[in-house]
Amino acid sequence: MIVALRITLPPYILAYAALNQAYGITHVWADTAVDRHIMGWEMPVTWEGVFDGAITIVGVLIANAYCKRTTAHGREMGDLVKMAVACGGMALGYLYIGAVWRCCRSCRLRSGWVST
């Protein structure tokens, strides 16, 4: 087990270091590319990161409610199916970001369009 940890830990650390850098740069991006004015009030740039967490929590609540409902009806999803559904949800998020980018490449993004 120690050997497995030593093998998998470095790539894991590098991946999450890159991910955290990407999350950090989104504050800079939101400060320069997103119109954060809401009814005359400017939303603080740091609130941009709150939307990602809120959407994640809402997604988990929906998924848990669905899993409880299917289990109550005797049709519990297997672990691999649950993982596939989670990957599908992540893919939808990336498709959403890509669609917004494609639609708004030449204009400043308006608040409410982008969550990350």
Side-chain angles (χ1 to χ4, degrees), residues 91-105 113-114 116:
L92 286 174
Y94 285 119
L95 288 173
Y96 169 74
I97 292 169
V100 169
W101 174 81
R102 190 171 186 120
C103 290
C104 298
R105 268 193 304 217
W113 275 91
V114 177
T116 58

Side-chain angles (χ1 to χ4, degrees), residues 16-96:
Y16 276 90
L19 179 66
N20 287 328
Q21 289 295 318
Y23 272 117
I25 199 68
T26 58
H27 294 303
V28 175
W29 170 79
D31 192 30
T32 59
V34 177
D35 180 7
R36 296 176 285 117
H37 290 88
I38 303 168
M39 296 186 288
W41 173 74
E42 185 176 10
M43 179 184 81
V45 71
T46 53
W47 288 16
E48 169 269 330
V50 172
F51 294 117
D52 178 54
I55 290 170
T56 300
I57 291 169
V58 168
V60 167
L61 292 174
I62 291 170
N64 283 344
Y66 179 75
C67 286
K68 281 177 130 179
R69 186 171 178 222
T70 56
T71 301
H73 289 100
R75 299 182 316 241
E76 183 177 3
M77 292 188 290
D79 291 337
L80 288 176
V81 175
K82 289 178 185 177
M83 290 171 58
V85 169
C87 289
M90 290 170 49
L92 286 174
Y94 285 119
L95 288 173
Y96 169 74

